Amino acid sequence: MNDQPTILAIDQGTTSTRTILFSAELKILAVQQKELKLHYPRKGWVEQNPETIWQDTLEVCRAILERTAGRRAEAVTAIGITNQRETTILWDRKTGKPVYPAIVWQDRRTGTVCERLRAQGFEPMVTARTGLLFDPYFSATKIAWILDNVEGVRARAVRGELAFGTIDCYLLWHLTGGRVHATDVTNAARTLLFNIVEQQWDADLLALFDIPAAILPEVRDNAAGFGVTDPALFGREIPVGGMAGDQHAALIGQRCFRPGMVKSTYGTGCFALMNIGPDFRLSQHRLLTTPAYRLNGRMVYAVEGSIFVAGAAIQWLRDGLEFFQDAAASEALARSVPDSNEVYFVPAFTGLGAPYWRPDVRGMISGLSRDTTRAHIIRAALEAQGYQTLDLMAAIEEDGGYQADVVRVDGGLVANGFMCQFLADMLNRPVEVPKVTEATALGAAILAGLAVGLFAGLEATERYWQRDIIYTPVMTEAERKRLYAGWKTAVQSLLHASGNAAAEPAVSDSRQ
Ligand code: ADP
């Protein structure tokens, strides 16, 4: 028997639902995971079944509690939730039944609505209040789509019979047996309806998107009382204390608590967030401004930038070109050659994000010669992560007004030591990989622990952050400049080859 307090983190992602049980020292005790399907009913549409999401969540929670029964369920002190952001669900407040499938963040069906609103000149006002841009990615146009396209839904919404929520909010509602309809600032901030300066739902934005306020959840701090679980679920009431969208949770999991600290997550795509402190500031490079977290009513902001394709480039080399069978093999192959032999790989499969903002361009491999081998191309694909991050970092640092001393990284790709070393060389600063790379779930656990008093404050959790590896720059300045100049030339030739179509805002299409 072990009665040490534990924290259960629920990490509901786009392709899987996981729970991780953490000790009070934030060590991983157990992990339970279930894959989740995406549905593509039409071109550009991406949906998921909300009931499956809830049932999977319940299943993985129950399974982990059973597996760790030696640690009594009583030991679970709190639950924290982190989630894929923006994904939109409307459900009946009485029955809990969704009125339509979840419209996933990747769904592009509301693209023309966003274009129209932009053409009408609303974007500066919306950006000033939300830190976001017009893009189908965010929840508002998805909510409006359901209200306008599912019969009877708008009338029911206006009568107060329906509830809206992103995944966090929908799971909380079910976990509390329908008693709590609440979300947190980081998730609310991704709807395009929440004013992150005034920190409340914005009546003008609700009017702009024609969304009735009656469907909205209450917005709370990231560590707060979110109610207790329905005893019918786990045999007892467990407090839900923490909640944050996945990228924000990762920032917390990486303990980026001081302004200027940066975390960068390399999964399918790459998401970098810099803590910029308590003052809201708009980006000059069309990056997003977003809450990092709010605790005890005090907001801390972050600048967020995304690279559309990170690990997806490695997946493409594996599945599209069949260069190797396992992503891990890319490291030895990249190291088998002394350099990329002047090959540059710009993985713009879905366009280029910050600071280029060219959704119209597509990928390119340049510098091919008769002696180019697949190892050179693989190496170029990994090096591209370093170049892309340097491009993004320059924008983030200018917007944030800080220089990052170190960059803390996580995500599947950081298993690749070659990539991490090249990243440190390009950024010309240390890159730190933590012992616990499950930064997202860790962030949710920290928030939940804070809410129930397991930790005295955020700083009290810093001592549990342990570095696994630090990559320090070893490349000479001349070499770094030469390589980066080659990347810039490659990108410029791609931009020119694709014409000078006006840049339009784009937000990542590949991640989580
Ligand atoms: P996501 O959460 O977006 O699904 P993960 O954080 O699980 O992504 O990371 C998976 C990505 O990391 C995949 O795109 C995979 O190709 C890449 N990846 C995993 N291991 C390695 C490795 N050793 N070298 C290079 N890429 C890797």
Side-chain angles (χ1 to χ4, degrees):
M1 286 295 217
N2 184 343
D3 282 21
Q4 294 298 309
T6 57
I7 309 166
L8 188 66
I10 297 173
D11 180 0
Q12 206 302 304
T14 314
T15 56
S16 75
T17 304
R18 294 159 16 109
T19 50
I20 299 187
L21 192 68
F22 286 95
S23 71
E25 289 79 41
L26 297 170
K27 291 214 168 72
I28 293 181
L29 301 172
V31 183
Q32 191 78 31
Q33 171 161 349
K34 187 150 188 207
E35 297 308 313
L36 178 66
K37 278 209 182 79
L38 288 151
H39 304 284
Y40 306 94
R42 288 195 205 176
K43 191 170 185 299
W45 291 28
V46 189
E47 298 180 353
Q48 283 179 324
N49 183 340
E51 288 176 298
T52 306
I53 292 176
W54 162 236
Q55 286 305 327
D56 286 359
T57 303
L58 191 55
E59 190 183 314
V60 291
C61 285
R62 283 185 171 149
I64 208 167
L65 291 176
E66 269 165 36
R67 269 179 52 209
T68 54
R71 305 172 184 278
R72 303 206 323 247
E74 283 74 14
V76 178
T77 315
I79 291 179
I81 303 174
T82 181
N83 55 291
Q84 52 165 316
R85 303 176 297 177
E86 298 100 11
T87 298
T88 298
I89 306 173
L90 262 73
W91 68 93
D92 186 303
R93 288 184 188 273
K94 273 214 186 83
T95 63
K97 288 263 174 246
V99 302
Y100 189 80
I103 303 186
V104 177
W105 58 274
Q106 297 160 324
D107 191 292
R108 310 300 293 174
R109 80 185 67 183
T110 57
T112 47
V113 178
C114 291
E115 272 161 35
R116 196 188 66 227
L117 288 166
R118 190 178 312 126
Q120 289 171 340
F122 289 113
E123 195 164 69
M125 180 273 281
V126 170
T127 302
R129 297 180 189 200
T130 64
L132 308 176
L133 305 165
F134 275 129
D135 192 279
Y137 191 70
F138 306 110
S139 312
T141 57
K142 295 177 181 351
I143 302 173
W145 190 94
I146 297 175
L147 292 172
D148 292 335
N149 289 279
V150 186
E151 217 189 309
V153 161
R154 183 172 285 280
R156 287 165 69 196
V158 172
R159 286 200 299 269
E161 294 170 17
L162 303 183
F164 153 74
T166 39
I167 299 284
D168 50 298
C169 174
Y170 175 74
L171 291 181
L172 178 71
W173 194 87
H174 278 284
L175 283 166
T176 59
R179 278 189 290 275
V180 183
H181 183 216
T183 186
D184 74 274
V185 284
T186 66
N187 276 297
R190 313 299 289 193
T191 59
L192 271 178
L193 302 171
F194 188 73
N195 186 320
I196 65 171
V197 184
E198 293 175 1
Q199 300 177 36
Q200 58 187 5
W201 296 115
D202 190 303
D204 295 337
L205 298 177
L206 287 165
L208 180 67
F209 294 103
D210 197 13
I211 291 171
I215 63 172
L216 298 174
E218 192 189 318
V219 183
R220 299 185 183 169
D221 281 0
N222 293 100
F226 285 98
V228 295
T229 56
D230 183 342
L233 300 176
F234 310 122
R236 58 175 277 254
E237 292 181 343
I238 306 173
V240 182
M243 191 186 273
D246 53 11
Q247 301 308 323
H248 316 261
L251 187 79
I252 294 163
Q254 290 276 34
R255 320 294 206 279
C256 295
F257 301 145
R258 280 181 295 280
M261 289 186 81
V262 172
K263 77 90 198 171
S264 196
T265 303
Y266 295 85
T268 308
C270 161
F271 284 76
L273 267 77
M274 175 188 271
N275 181 326
I276 59 166
D279 299 321
F280 174 80
R281 185 191 316 213
L282 276 182
S283 164
Q284 304 305 312
H285 298 92
R286 314 208 75 185
L287 302 180
L288 307 178
T289 307
T290 197
Y293 45 81
R294 193 178 74 187
L295 298 171
N296 302 318
R298 282 197 294 277
M299 186 83 110
V300 171
Y301 293 95
V303 196
E304 173 175 333
S306 47
I307 296 169
F308 300 170
V309 174
I314 310 304
Q315 275 167 342
W316 177 71
L317 293 179
R318 185 192 63 189
D319 305 335
L321 299 189
E322 300 181 6
F323 275 2
F324 41 79
Q325 287 193 330
D326 182 357
S330 62
E331 179 162 359
L333 284 159
R335 288 187 194 279
S336 72
V337 285
D339 54 44
S340 72
N341 197 12
E342 308 293 318
V343 173
Y344 285 91
F345 183 166
V346 187
F349 298 155
T350 54
L352 280 170
Y356 307 105
W357 298 113
R358 286 286 297 270
D360 55 310
V361 305
R362 292 296 173 261
M364 176 182 84
I365 299 175
S366 72
L368 298 178
S369 57
R370 186 61 189 81
D371 58 353
T372 302
T373 66
R374 78 190 160 132
H376 295 124
I377 296 174
I378 292 164
R379 188 169 170 123
L382 291 168
E383 290 179 349
Q385 312 308 327
Y387 301 131
Q388 293 191 109
T389 308
L390 180 53
D391 287 344
L392 186 60
M393 210 53 187
I396 288 183
E397 290 192 331
E398 251 177 68
D399 280 340
Y402 297 97
Q403 282 281 124
D405 304 336
V406 298
V407 174
R408 291 185 170 175
V409 296
D410 54 84
L413 234 144
V414 306
N416 193 308
F418 171 79
M419 193 287 283
C420 293
Q421 182 58 50
F422 193 80
L423 189 59
D425 286 336
M426 262 314 117
L427 299 180
N428 200 22
R429 73 198 87 185
V431 164
E432 293 185 320
V433 184
K435 275 224 165 78
V436 179
T437 53
E438 299 288 354
T440 306
L442 194 50
I446 289 173
L447 293 168
L450 271 179
V452 297
L454 274 183
F455 314 119
L458 275 184
E459 291 69 26
T461 71
E462 279 180 350
R463 67 195 174 105
Y464 301 124
W465 188 89
Q466 280 183 309
R467 190 167 67 207
D468 186 28
I469 309 172
I470 182 163
Y471 295 90
T472 43
V474 291
M475 194 178 276
T476 63
E477 180 76 3
E479 179 70 347
R480 191 168 67 83
K481 284 204 164 129
R482 188 184 70 78
L483 289 174
Y484 188 55
W487 164 260
K488 284 282 190 198
T489 305
V491 171
Q492 286 310 321
S493 71
L494 173 62
L495 294 177
H496 287 305
S498 307
N500 287 317
E504 70 172 81
V507 183
S508 172
D509 250 7
S510 50
R511 61 114 212 201
Q512 288 176 338

